[in-house]
Amino acid sequence: MSKRARVRAPELQGRAWINTGGKDLSLADFKGRTLILDFWTFCCVNCLHVLDELRELEEKHRDTVLIVGVHSPKFVHEADHQAVVDAVERYEVHHPVLDDPELATWKSYAVRAWPTLVVIDPEGYVVAQHAGEGHAHALETLVGQLEAEHAAKGTLRRGDGPYVPPEPVPTELRFPGKALLLPGGTFLVSDTTRHQLVELAADGESVVRRIGAGERGLTDGTSERARFSEPQGLALLPDGTVAVADTVNHALRRFDPATGEVTTLAGTGRQWWQGSPTEGPAREVDLSSPWDVAWFAGRLWIAMAGVHQLWAYDPEAGTVRVAAGTTNEGLVDGPAEEAWFAQPSGLAATGDRLWIADSETSAVRYVERDGKGFTVRTAVGTGLFDFGHRDGAADQALLQHPLGVTALPDGSVAISDTYNHALRRYDPATGEVSTLATDLREPSGAVLVDGDIVVVESARHRLTRLRLPEEAVRVEAVAHRTQRAATDIAPGTLRLEVVFQAPEGQKLDTRYGPSTRLLVSSTPPELLAGGDGAGMDLSRELVLTEGVTEGVLHVSAMAASCDDDPANEYPACHVHQQDWGVPVRITEGGANRLPLVLAGMDH
């Protein structure tokens, strides 16, 4: 195998370890094993995709490979230790996790984006770094090589890892996601971590029945046999059945309350990647982390959190298609096909509007008809980096990673303001944002019942019924920006280089044209005088505007590689993809080159 750079891995530093039975760990505890550090934060859907990608690798190489999550927060709420503990259970993370609220380990490994994977060999040297998604095959190849190499050298140590599972807690629900009021007055709840739907009586507490075997899978059939994988959103269809956003299965399912049968409406079970079809027969088109669903304008709209879009399912034609969004992550209004979203996670329909909780921009957006098409507008929120808890005029109000919206009878919207532990309200008539309730634990959705509102308190594992107050609650205003150290760059021209080295045994896939894509934009847009926009090369000259002293560079890169075997007519191909938001400060003496590692090492 090719000779690799030898870079000694920095020590792991953080506040506390999770999933170790209370034991603190250091790099010495992993000597003799291949160690994969997974830098993640629990708000990030791409990080959740990577957790899922790693499951098979983790199981297959259990005695030679150790995965350690390094939790590096974006939002203030994600720096709360109990919230990290909850997220580790919620997403079934079955390996040790280092809680790193000050980003100490993030900085020592020069990480620039969530998610990032760093591979450390059994002797304690960093041998590879991968940003974004789609690296499972490359990791599998590298892990196999390291296993053989270090077994031959006598530096490989086999055995059990330091993972200690937490004690199970007996609650009827476990991190529920969304709820739906059924016509008979009962509630249907997505019991996300247990991979089930649960029907609760009108009291919101007593279990009527469970739907699903309670194990991760994609299986149709009876309530006892069917399987889901972290289901979230629920919506009534005109025929009385319920559409289910089966998030980690990348599928849309249907539950029939009358018969208990579960069937698949849309999706293949595979995750959508750039270049995949964006419309067609529903069972033949890949989806990506559908998080919520709502019936609007004669279609079932899908909040496709994994690709920052809205899709629509037509039950009569049996088709799905993109309805809004470009797959670029951000906050851009306008015609539906040109709008940008950031992990849309909640939907609520009224007669003329589809309301959207756009979680990563801490925003509430909406879609409305505009002549023959649809237009996207923003009610509350400014972008990817500003969040907080501030009431008042919508143009200066702040939310923190909301996951749900609920239409209220007076035309206003209740917002499940998840990371503020609050229920908020936006009133289009006055343009004001207020707080309806606080001391809710990660509310992720809500439903109206007889003038009350029933909130899904996800991290308290329950439904909570509240009176809709006449007067809003007053809270102390607080504003935040995402805290990441800015990169100092020199004025003038900046050389942007996305580092991509095809995994061993693979090459760039150029059979159908260029196999790479690079998209660059900035906040504020005035930061760049040249070099923004889309292109095929993974390097580019960016021209910085004179007089602008700081901002954020948004970089999206994709590369496709295929097995390099001339004898194989149909080589397996793999897509590698990542989005970066890099805060920059323009200063004399700063760098004139910005390397971003998609896969490999920057030498």
Side-chain angles (χ1 to χ4, degrees):
M1 58 191 296
S2 59
K3 192 164 179 64
R4 299 189 188 91
R6 301 281 282 174
V7 179
R8 176 64 74 179
E11 189 51 82
L12 306 177
Q13 311 166 63
R15 172 170 55 193
W17 285 88
I18 302 165
N19 279 355
T20 63
K23 182 183 176 183
D24 289 344
L25 302 175
S26 69
L27 280 177
D29 294 302
F30 306 108
K31 193 171 182 183
R33 313 285 283 278
T34 296
L35 177 62
I36 301 175
L37 300 182
D38 175 16
F39 289 86
W40 69 299
T41 188
F42 64 77
C43 71
C44 154
V45 73
N46 312 89
C47 299
L48 305 186
H49 291 166
V50 168
L51 281 176
D52 207 47
E53 285 180 5
L54 291 174
R55 291 186 207 283
E56 188 176 340
L57 182 79
E58 193 167 20
E59 186 57 41
K60 185 175 176 182
H61 298 274
R62 184 165 293 283
D63 66 336
T64 59
V65 174
L66 293 173
I67 296 173
V68 167
V70 181
H71 188 272
S72 312
K74 171 185 174 181
F75 289 99
V76 168
H77 169 60
E78 292 173 309
D80 175 67
H81 181 66
Q82 185 56 47
V84 182
V85 172
D86 286 347
V88 167
E89 181 191 347
R90 179 196 296 266
Y91 297 117
E92 297 186 306
V93 179
H94 292 165
H95 50 248
V97 173
L98 175 62
D99 181 11
D100 181 25
E102 302 297 326
L103 305 186
T105 298
W106 164 288
K107 290 170 187 170
S108 66
Y109 280 84
V111 173
R112 293 184 182 274
W114 300 276
T116 291
L117 299 168
V118 175
V119 182
I120 300 169
D121 74 12
E123 293 180 284
Y125 290 93
V126 175
V127 292
Q129 182 170 323
H130 301 273
E133 303 177 53
H135 301 293
H137 181 268
L139 287 172
E140 175 66 50
T141 302
L142 178 56
V143 160
Q145 291 171 345
L146 290 171
E147 200 170 284
E149 178 184 321
H150 288 273
K153 287 176 67 175
T155 49
L156 185 71
R157 180 168 60 87
R158 296 178 183 270
D160 292 334
Y163 168 65
V164 179
E167 288 293 320
V169 183
T171 54
E172 295 290 10
L173 303 172
R174 205 71 195 156
F175 298 105
K178 307 285 186 183
L180 176 69
L181 183 66
L182 293 174
T186 58
F187 296 95
L188 191 66
V189 183
S190 53
D191 197 14
T192 305
T193 298
R194 293 206 178 115
H195 314 298
Q196 290 180 317
L197 310 181
V198 178
E199 186 177 355
L200 299 178
D203 63 6
E205 297 178 12
S206 309
V207 175
V208 176
R209 59 175 162 168
R210 293 183 179 275
I211 299 97
E215 294 178 1
R216 198 185 286 274
L218 178 53
T219 307
D220 289 343
T222 62
S223 291
E224 297 76 25
R225 182 173 179 272
R227 290 190 178 193
F228 301 93
S229 188
E230 298 182 31
Q232 287 280 350
L234 307 164
L236 271 175
L237 294 171
D239 65 1
T241 62
V242 178
V244 182
D246 195 5
T247 305
V248 177
N249 275 329
H250 310 296
L252 204 60
R253 313 290 292 283
R254 174 166 54 197
F255 166 61
D256 187 340
T259 66
E261 287 285 316
V262 175
T263 52
T264 299
L265 290 176
T268 62
R270 296 185 302 271
Q271 184 183 338
W272 187 94
W273 288 100
Q274 291 289 349
S276 301
T278 55
E279 61 180 323
R283 293 288 303 271
E284 299 173 18
V285 176
D286 299 340
L287 309 180
S288 182
S289 296
W291 209 277
D292 203 5
V293 280
W295 187 260
F296 174 68
R299 300 285 186 274
L300 185 73
W301 288 60
I302 309 162
M304 206 72 79
V307 283
H308 318 300
Q309 290 180 312
L310 304 180
W311 286 44
Y313 166 71
D314 181 344
E316 287 190 18
T319 57
V320 288
R321 64 174 179 82
V322 174
T326 64
T327 75
N328 296 328
E329 184 179 16
L331 194 154
V332 176
D333 290 340
E337 62 275 9
E338 298 174 14
W340 292 22
F341 297 96
Q343 222 167 291
S345 302
L347 299 175
T350 60
D352 57 352
R353 285 182 179 174
L354 178 69
W355 294 96
I356 304 146
D358 203 28
S359 62
E360 281 292 285
T361 51
S362 297
V364 171
R365 324 271 297 276
Y366 60 92
V367 173
E368 62 182 1
R369 287 190 185 278
D370 183 15
K372 293 181 179 178
F374 293 95
T375 297
V376 176
R377 305 186 197 282
T378 298
V380 186
T382 58
L384 284 163
F385 301 99
D386 293 292
F387 58 93
H389 192 155
R390 186 163 65 198
D391 288 335
D395 61 359
Q396 56 88 54
L398 294 172
L399 311 169
Q400 187 180 179
H401 197 79
L403 290 178
V405 279
T406 307
L408 299 179
D410 63 357
S412 65
V413 182
I415 306 159
S416 294
D417 193 5
T418 309
Y419 288 3
N420 280 327
H421 308 302
L423 190 68
R424 312 284 293 282
R425 175 177 176 261
Y426 166 67
D427 185 353
T430 63
E432 293 282 315
V433 174
S434 55
T435 299
L436 298 176
T438 55
D439 192 32
L440 300 164
R441 187 74 185 167
E442 293 191 19
S444 53
V447 289
L448 277 176
V449 186
D450 301 329
D452 293 345
I453 192 160
V454 175
V455 180
V456 181
E457 266 198 282
S458 190
R460 282 201 181 112
H461 320 291
R462 71 187 188 191
L463 303 187
T464 300
R465 191 168 183 137
L466 303 171
R467 276 252 164 243
L468 279 172
E470 294 294 323
E471 294 297 323
V473 177
R474 290 207 171 275
V475 295
E476 194 71 32
V478 58
H480 301 287
R481 295 214 86 198
T482 298
Q483 294 304 309
R484 272 185 288 163
T487 298
D488 287 340
I489 58 176
T493 301
L494 177 70
R495 178 73 177 174
L496 172 67
E497 293 183 8
V498 173
V499 177
F500 178 77
Q501 293 150 8
E504 196 156 318
Q506 293 182 37
K507 63 178 182 179
L508 285 173
D509 175 20
T510 55
R511 291 170 300 163
Y512 307 109
S515 63
T516 56
R517 188 187 73 141
L518 181 65
L519 177 72
V520 180
S521 62
S522 65
T523 303
E526 303 80 55
L527 175 66
L528 291 179
D532 56 338
M536 299 303 176
D537 289 340
L538 290 181
S539 59
R540 191 179 298 180
E541 298 287 333
L542 305 182
V543 181
L544 303 165
T545 303
E546 192 174 345
V548 179
T549 58
E550 62 178 7
V552 178
L553 290 174
H554 305 286
V555 181
S556 177
M558 185 271 286
S561 61
C562 293
D563 292 346
D564 187 10
D565 181 1
N568 186 354
E569 189 179 351
Y570 302 105
C573 296
H574 310 274
V575 177
H576 314 261
Q577 187 172 312
Q578 175 62 338
D579 299 322
W580 291 267
V582 184
V584 294
R585 184 169 50 227
I586 292 83
T587 178
E588 295 293 343
N592 55 21
R593 174 179 176 264
L594 177 62
L596 299 175
V597 178
L598 179 60
M601 298 282 282
D602 179 40
H603 301 303

